[in-house]
Amino acid sequence: MRNLGSSNGSGLSTDEIEDEEMARMAIATFQAREEEIERKKTEVKERVELQLGRAEEESRRLAQIWEELEVLTDPMRKEVAVVRKKIDMANRELKPLGQSIQKKEREYKEALEAFNEKSKEKAQLVTALMELLTESERVRMKKLEELSKSIESIQ
């Protein structure tokens, strides 16, 4: 059992106050990390969306060029086809990246929910512990008073 004798008047011992402060600091650190992760995730998502937009724009431009080349039967037709195939490949590679982002977002939300549930459970357990300690202290004080009265009645 913790040192119940050294309390600061609020019913909490120095160790309990330090534990509480450490828990607050840990939560603050976690929240700061969580915000940093969210910020980085948003940055990556924006970059991927920007890249997707560029790729789509390039694909449209190349399709337009392709149509013009069909009309002209330009000697550079093969080079354009090669570039277009590369753009199509880039588009295919971007799709799984977007899916990966969505999967990681779901995993992050699930982990955050589990963390929040455990934090809530911990808080409930701390509250129950404090109630038990308070009740134990009250019962011991009552017993000490009874023993003190018994000693006084003997004298």
Side-chain angles (χ1 to χ4, degrees):
M1 200 172 282
R2 297 201 183 242
N3 185 4
L4 293 175
S6 65
S7 66
N8 64 356
S10 67
L12 296 176
S13 72
T14 304
D15 290 341
E16 290 169 333
I17 292 171
E18 289 174 0
D19 288 349
E20 181 111 16
E21 186 61 34
M22 285 177 24
R24 273 185 250 170
M25 289 173 54
I27 289 171
T29 301
F30 174 78
Q31 288 173 339
R33 288 181 185 160
E34 185 177 65
E35 291 171 6
E36 178 67 17
I37 289 169
E38 189 67 29
R39 186 185 60 75
K40 286 184 180 183
K41 181 181 77 171
T42 302
E43 287 176 11
V44 169
K45 190 174 183 179
E46 289 172 356
R47 282 188 273 162
V48 168
E49 289 174 353
L50 182 63
Q51 190 69 16
L52 280 170
R54 288 179 190 158
E56 290 172 0
E57 181 62 32
E58 287 296 319
S59 182
R60 280 191 291 262
R61 278 195 241 145
L62 286 173
Q64 198 174 17
I65 291 170
W66 182 260
E67 290 174 11
E68 291 175 14
L69 287 174
E70 289 285 22
V71 173
L72 297 175
T73 60
D74 193 1
M76 297 196 65
R77 183 177 187 167
K78 288 182 182 179
E79 289 82 1
V80 170
V82 168
V83 171
R84 186 167 187 208
K85 282 184 182 180
K86 288 181 181 179
I87 289 172
D88 288 341
M89 286 181 5
N91 279 333
R92 283 191 295 268
E93 291 171 3
L94 285 172
K95 183 178 180 180
L97 290 174
Q99 291 171 340
S100 176
I101 287 173
Q102 290 175 346
K103 179 183 175 189
K104 292 195 185 303
E105 285 177 345
R106 280 192 306 273
E107 291 172 356
Y108 169 77
K109 287 178 183 175
E110 291 169 2
L112 179 60
E113 184 178 333
F115 174 83
N116 288 335
E117 287 180 69
K118 285 297 176 184
S119 293
K120 183 178 179 182
E121 181 182 338
K122 178 191 170 204
Q124 290 171 344
L125 291 171
V126 167
T127 301
L129 175 63
M130 292 304 296
E131 291 173 0
L132 288 172
L133 289 173
T134 302
E135 180 63 19
S136 173
E137 189 174 47
R138 188 189 63 75
V139 169
R140 287 188 304 158
M141 287 302 288
K142 184 177 178 182
K143 186 66 174 179
L144 281 172
E145 288 174 12
E146 290 173 6
L147 289 173
S148 179
K149 287 180 184 177
S150 294
I151 290 173
E152 288 176 11
S153 67
I154 292 174
Q155 294 175 352

